[in-house]
Amino acid sequence: MKKFPYTPLQIAVHVYAWSVFVMLVFDFFMGNLSPNPIQDLEQRTGRHALTLLVLSLLCTPLNSIFKWSEPLKRRRALGLYSFMYATIHMIIFADLDFGLAWSLLIQEVAAKPRLIVGVIAFVLFIPLAVTSFDIWKVRLGKNWKRLHRLVYLIAPLVLLHYLWSKKGDILSLQGEVIKPLIYGLVIGIFLLIRIPPIRKALASFSSRVLALPFKKNQQPRVNTP
Amino acid sequence: MSHLYKSVPVRSYEITPKETYLSRRDFIKAASLTAGAAMLTACAPSVADAVEEAGPVPTSDGTDELGDKVNSYEDITNYNNYYEFTVDKQAVAESARGFSTTPWTLEVGGLVTTPKIFGIEDLLKLFPQEERIYRLRCVEAWSMVIPWEGFSLASLLNMVTPTSDAKYVRFETVYRPDEMPGQKSPFYPWPYQEGLRLDEAMNDLTLLATGLYGEPNVPQNGAPIRLVVPWKYGFKSIKSIVKIELTAEEPETMWSTIASNEYGFYANVNPSVDHPRWSQASERRIGEFERRPTLPFNGYGEQVASLYEGMDLSLYY
């Protein structure tokens, strides 16, 4: 008998990514969206794009620190799903929300730092999505890795966009700051543990702790950013 | 509108029990779920129509003076900004269920000759309740048309006679963290407080609302008594008021305490003064698809623009 070709992690990633889309479509047709449905769609697609982006940032540390290499193979799917939701988010904003009234749109974006930051993050995201295929990886060689490090800029920009969409003041910890704070903390940690000395310290610590139970399953380390 | 509150019993056949009302919604949803499998697109409008019928109907013809239809009771009571309960607008109704509004007292004091404490039932007896259909423009750039019931704040203030030193009016929401889970959050300077200049407070448009759609206020809409200042952004219209105080100095308001660069004391609806987060040039009326332009003073300029003559409204936002 043929071996089942999909791993549990792989299934989980795809099911999770699509579940939000299915819920959106379901709620749309069932009339379950909020009385302000366009804003509801905007917020949900945006939040999901951010969540998926954060998850894609988790893949590398899982490998470099815990020697679990499978997430590296799922990273591209997570990143592309994130881009997909970001694209839907942008289309809803420009089309449903502003009815493609470009002059009004440009005026609106230019006036709002949170929108400027969001648009910049999206524009930077495009080349990463376009070059996510193997052929580009080969074509760009070393530069591919350099290019994809842009995510270290994109993630904080998206976070800022999210934070500024909430009422309140993060510096004085007043207002609606809990969720942005949590996302910020997680992103901060995921970026910090990439810094070589921190990464090495954590890796040697985890290999000592995990040495016994995991020795048999240890997989060779895959070298990717 | 003497049928408000407990003073006059509402005949029971006039009320649809909440269980029936809610189970009806479940039924509609379940029914369209089945139907939806067969004709997915066709069921969307029918669900919306059915839900709109669920609420009570307004007593007058149901439009504001500009000819815009009032929003459904369903939307008005299920899309609320009331951070004392939760920041999730759709979850406020559920979180506020069971919030006790009787007994309720409103303390009116400060720079007045005869400070008084009113029970909510006194207020309903003392002041005739009238219907006022007002537009509500949220600072988040959405809006509704709401058929309030209540009485003018001026009539209450006249009863306690402000002294000549009184220049401002300060309002305070009840502080009851056990019943209002949002008030346990350390990220907000509770209790909610708001303020008006005395002439704004005395303007005939300024309403103390005790009801909605011909029924007593529900907790998520600020029961039992709330302010409605229709030419200002919604956050000025403070809910569940327990204290009104006349002062000589401009009072602090909660949102300007949190972010004074974004929320000013005046907060007049003004399409030409922008907010860093939301467009104030246009808005989305709940229930409509396209944005509509925002009107200066939310369309009440004729009645209130004179209050701000000579003031630079981009400075006093």
Side-chain angles (χ1 to χ4, degrees):
Chain A
M1 215 175 102
K2 227 173 149 188
K3 203 181 152 228
F4 187 63
Y6 306 107
T7 69
L9 181 67
Q10 196 172 6
I11 294 167
V13 165
H14 291 287
V15 167
Y16 170 67
W18 283 107
S19 66
V20 173
F21 189 79
V22 169
M23 276 309 291
L24 279 177
V25 173
F26 180 79
D27 285 348
F28 180 79
F29 285 113
M30 293 303 294
N32 285 346
L33 293 174
S34 88
N36 198 354
I38 294 176
Q39 193 195 50
D40 199 7
L41 290 172
E42 266 169 4
Q43 291 176 344
R44 282 162 69 173
T45 50
R47 203 162 50 227
H48 199 50
L50 174 59
T51 306
L52 285 162
L53 189 67
V54 171
L55 287 176
S56 79
L57 286 174
L58 176 61
C59 297
T60 305
L62 282 178
N63 175 56
S64 57
I65 294 172
F66 298 101
K67 309 282 181 293
W68 186 28
S69 66
E70 199 203 330
L72 290 181
K73 294 184 194 153
R74 311 291 158 240
R75 194 174 50 188
R76 170 162 63 192
L78 287 168
L80 280 173
Y81 278 128
S82 173
F83 183 73
M84 176 178 102
Y85 283 99
T87 308
I88 298 173
H89 181 69
M90 294 296 277
I91 291 172
I92 291 171
F93 174 69
D95 188 350
L96 290 187
D97 201 349
F98 278 86
L100 297 179
W102 295 107
S103 63
L104 184 66
L105 252 174
I106 291 167
Q107 196 190 327
E108 172 81 3
V109 171
K112 304 276 183 294
R114 101 190 146 97
L115 297 181
I116 297 174
V117 165
V119 169
I120 292 174
F122 183 71
V123 168
L124 292 177
F125 208 170
I126 295 171
L128 303 204
V130 169
T131 61
S132 64
F133 302 96
D134 289 335
I135 178 155
W136 277 102
K137 222 166 173 172
V138 177
R139 234 186 252 179
L140 291 173
K142 250 192 179 157
N143 287 329
W144 187 88
K145 199 167 159 178
R146 283 187 196 144
L147 177 66
H148 281 249
R149 282 195 175 132
L150 268 180
V151 73
Y152 303 148
L153 177 61
I154 294 170
L157 285 176
V158 175
L159 177 69
L160 200 58
H161 169 71
Y162 179 61
L163 170 71
W164 280 345
S165 307
K166 299 271 176 194
K167 274 185 241 172
D169 178 14
I170 193 81
L171 294 177
S172 60
L173 280 183
Q174 291 282 287
E176 220 177 313
V177 294
I178 296 181
K179 278 191 197 163
L181 214 58
I182 293 171
Y183 273 104
L185 218 63
V186 171
I187 290 175
I189 291 170
F190 287 0
L191 294 185
L192 273 179
I193 57 181
R194 288 172 150 79
I195 297 171
I198 299 177
R199 184 188 69 214
K200 278 173 198 153
L202 286 172
S204 78
F205 179 75
S206 82
S207 66
R208 260 179 286 136
V209 173
L210 301 174
L212 283 171
F214 279 95
K215 212 160 199 172
K216 274 180 261 169
N217 306 333
Q218 222 173 67
Q219 292 174 12
R221 199 180 144 198
V222 181
N223 226 346
T224 28
Chain B
M1 309 292 152
S2 55
H3 61 279
L4 289 179
Y5 286 98
K6 295 235 156 83
S7 46
V8 177
V10 178
R11 282 150 295 183
S12 58
Y13 64 80
E14 292 180 348
I15 305 171
T16 308
K18 199 135 206 171
E19 292 75 19
T20 314
Y21 168 69
L22 289 174
S23 66
R24 182 165 174 267
R25 289 189 66 197
D26 290 341
F27 170 73
I28 292 164
K29 280 184 182 165
S32 43
L33 181 64
T34 328
M39 33 170 209
L40 205 53
T41 49
C43 69
S46 64
V47 171
D49 292 348
V51 168
E52 267 189 19
E53 288 164 18
V57 285
T59 46
S60 63
D61 69 344
T63 56
D64 67 8
E65 80 284 4
L66 302 179
D68 288 320
K69 240 181 109 219
V70 295
N71 280 90
S72 70
Y73 187 72
E74 172 76 13
D75 282 352
I76 296 171
T77 54
N78 285 285
Y79 194 66
N80 311 99
N81 266 327
Y82 203 163
Y83 283 22
E84 279 83 343
F85 291 104
T86 162
V87 297
D88 178 352
K89 287 192 258 297
Q90 289 171 274
V92 172
E94 179 57 38
S95 172
R97 191 173 298 175
F99 176 71
S100 72
T101 53
T102 44
W104 192 276
T105 54
L106 173 62
E107 184 188 339
V108 189
L111 301 173
V112 298
T113 24
T114 48
K116 278 198 171 86
I117 295 176
F118 298 92
I120 185 69
E121 59 291 339
D122 305 331
L123 293 170
L124 292 166
K125 265 183 242 155
L126 281 168
F127 304 101
Q129 313 289 303
E130 52 181 295
E131 187 186 63
R132 304 250 189 121
I133 299 183
Y134 281 159
R135 292 173 289 286
L136 173 104
R137 169 61 158 79
C138 180
V139 72
E140 298 164 7
W142 54 267
S143 61
M144 290 193 189
V145 182
I146 303 178
W148 296 111
E149 306 224 339
F151 54 96
S152 66
L153 173 63
S155 55
L156 176 71
L157 295 182
N158 285 333
M159 187 166 277
V160 295
T161 327
T163 67
S164 58
D165 298 335
K167 296 281 179 293
Y168 295 91
V169 188
R170 179 183 172 274
F171 305 84
E172 195 178 301
T173 294
V174 69
Y175 181 66
R176 238 190 250 167
D178 288 339
E179 283 185 66
M180 301 172 123
Q183 285 182 337
K184 291 189 183 128
S185 166
F187 300 114
Y188 302 87
W190 305 118
Y192 200 95
Q193 49 178 345
E194 259 305 337
L196 293 174
R197 221 170 51 193
L198 187 56
D199 56 347
E200 297 176 322
M202 298 300 273
N203 188 282
D204 186 53
L205 283 177
T206 307
L207 186 73
L208 282 172
T210 53
L212 165 68
Y213 256 91
E215 308 236 322
N217 270 336
V218 282
Q220 62 266 38
N221 291 90
I225 188 163
R226 62 166 295 165
L227 187 68
V228 181
V229 198
W231 73 93
K232 292 174 181 283
Y233 294 118
F235 65 85
K236 292 296 286 186
S237 294
I238 183 172
K239 293 168 171 171
S240 306
I241 305 168
V242 288
K243 197 171 177 186
I244 297 177
E245 205 181 346
L246 283 286
T247 64
E249 306 290 326
E250 184 182 289
E252 291 201 331
T253 70
M254 190 176 94
W255 281 108
S256 69
T257 313
I258 291 175
S260 60
N261 58 326
E262 294 183 31
Y263 309 96
F265 176 78
Y266 286 93
N268 293 317
V269 175
N270 192 340
S272 54
V273 174
D274 236 349
H275 183 277
R277 292 168 206 272
W278 303 281
S279 165
Q280 303 305 18
S282 66
E283 67 198 54
R284 175 162 286 108
R285 178 68 44 85
I286 296 301
E288 289 181 357
F289 190 71
E290 282 183 27
R291 280 174 178 266
R292 50 162 78 204
T294 289
L295 304 171
F297 298 109
N298 204 20
Y300 300 96
E302 218 168 281
Q303 292 98 313
V304 299
S306 59
L307 294 172
Y308 309 102
E309 242 161 54
M311 281 172 73
D312 181 354
L313 292 179
S314 62
L315 225 56
Y316 296 98
Y317 51 91

